[in-house]
Amino acid sequence: MLEKDLKLKDGEPKMESTKYRSIEDRIQFIFWLFTGKPFDKTQQWWPKISSAITYRNSIMHPKRPTSIQVSEAERHLISILEATDALFRVVFGKGWPRAKKGLYTKVSISEP
């Protein structure tokens, strides 16, 4: 998704360079958009998804070598499920049906 930064030059709006918004900002905006209230960072799932996003950023924009344990990966994936469920609740008024299934799925990957 490309977003442009809007600048005013002599009172005239001009589309400028690409502007990026963090995942956290986007999540908070969706909550504000559908509730009309400031985002509540005390929600139980927020620190978990924030930690997962920080870890994602360390992988995508590495400054040093990064490793992860299976338990950490599971914890981060569960935080994504919880955040998605919370987004579904605020946008659609009901939870995300797949959230209850957790990390277990009918899909399996096997080696040839």
Side-chain angles (χ1 to χ4, degrees):
M1 179 184 330
L2 293 176
E3 298 176 3
K4 297 289 183 182
D5 192 14
L6 182 65
K7 300 268 184 177
L8 295 174
K9 289 188 178 180
D10 299 324
E12 183 180 347
K14 299 278 186 181
M15 299 303 277
E16 293 287 329
S17 61
T18 303
K19 183 169 188 146
Y20 297 96
R21 307 254 187 252
S22 71
I23 296 169
E24 293 99 326
D25 287 344
R26 291 170 190 249
I27 291 171
Q28 292 175 25
F29 175 72
I30 291 170
F31 273 83
W32 171 83
L33 185 64
F34 285 90
T35 65
K37 300 175 189 171
F39 182 73
D40 178 12
K41 291 184 179 179
T42 64
Q43 296 180 71
Q44 186 177 8
W45 59 269
W46 180 250
K48 298 175 191 175
I49 192 68
S50 187
S51 173
I53 291 167
T54 299
Y55 188 78
R56 175 252 178 218
N57 291 341
S58 73
I59 293 172
M60 298 304 294
H61 312 287
K63 292 183 173 77
R64 58 185 168 84
T66 305
S67 65
I68 189 167
Q69 301 298 318
V70 171
S71 60
E72 290 175 302
E74 288 176 345
R75 190 175 67 247
H76 293 316
L77 290 170
I78 289 169
S79 74
I80 294 168
L81 294 175
E82 292 173 350
T84 303
D85 186 55
L87 284 165
F88 261 71
R89 290 183 190 285
V90 76
V91 173
F92 301 111
K94 58 184 178 180
W96 183 40
R98 293 220 178 252
K100 292 180 184 175
K101 295 184 181 199
L103 298 180
Y104 302 101
T105 177
K106 293 179 182 178
V107 177
S108 63
I109 300 172
S110 60
E111 294 184 39

